[in-house]
């Protein structure tokens, strides 16, 4: 009977660890949702003006990303 109790206690401990991980993940997601809702409320204010995104200049000699040009052949 003692082995049955130990097995049950081990199961409870394993479930508690899994539930703790799930709760931590839920807490992280809730904080993300709260921050996004705060941003949304700020954007919905009547006097809101969006701020332009600051872009970093390219390094000297850096080429633009993209597809290379096709070389035309005279055939």
């Amino acid at each position: 009977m003692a082995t049955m109790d130990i097995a049950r206690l081990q199961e409870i401990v394993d479930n508690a660890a899994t539930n703790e991980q799930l709760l931590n993940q839920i807490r992280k997601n809730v904080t993300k949702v709260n921050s996004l809702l705060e941003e949304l409320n700020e954007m919905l204010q009547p006097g809101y003006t969006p701020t332009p995104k600051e872009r970093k200049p390219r390094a000297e000699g850096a080429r633009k990303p993209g597809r290379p040009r096709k070389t035309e052949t005279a055939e």
Side-chain angles (χ1 to χ4, degrees), residues 70-75:
K70 292 183 179 178
T71 56
E72 293 186 26
T73 57
E75 294 181 333

Side-chain angles (χ1 to χ4, degrees), residues 21 24 27 38 44 53 55 59 63:
Q21 291 173 353
N24 286 336
R27 285 184 187 112
E38 288 174 7
L44 294 176
K53 182 178 179 182
R55 294 183 171 251
R63 298 183 61 160

Side-chain angles (χ1 to χ4, degrees), residues 52-63:
K53 182 178 179 182
E54 185 177 324
R55 294 183 171 251
K56 297 178 184 177
R58 287 195 181 100
E60 286 294 319
R63 298 183 61 160

Side-chain angles (χ1 to χ4, degrees), residues 4 8 17-18 21-22 35 40 46 52 62 64 68 71-72 75:
M4 296 294 273
R8 179 71 179 141
T18 304
Q21 291 173 353
L22 182 62
S35 66
L40 181 63
K64 292 182 181 179
T71 56
E72 293 186 26
E75 294 181 333

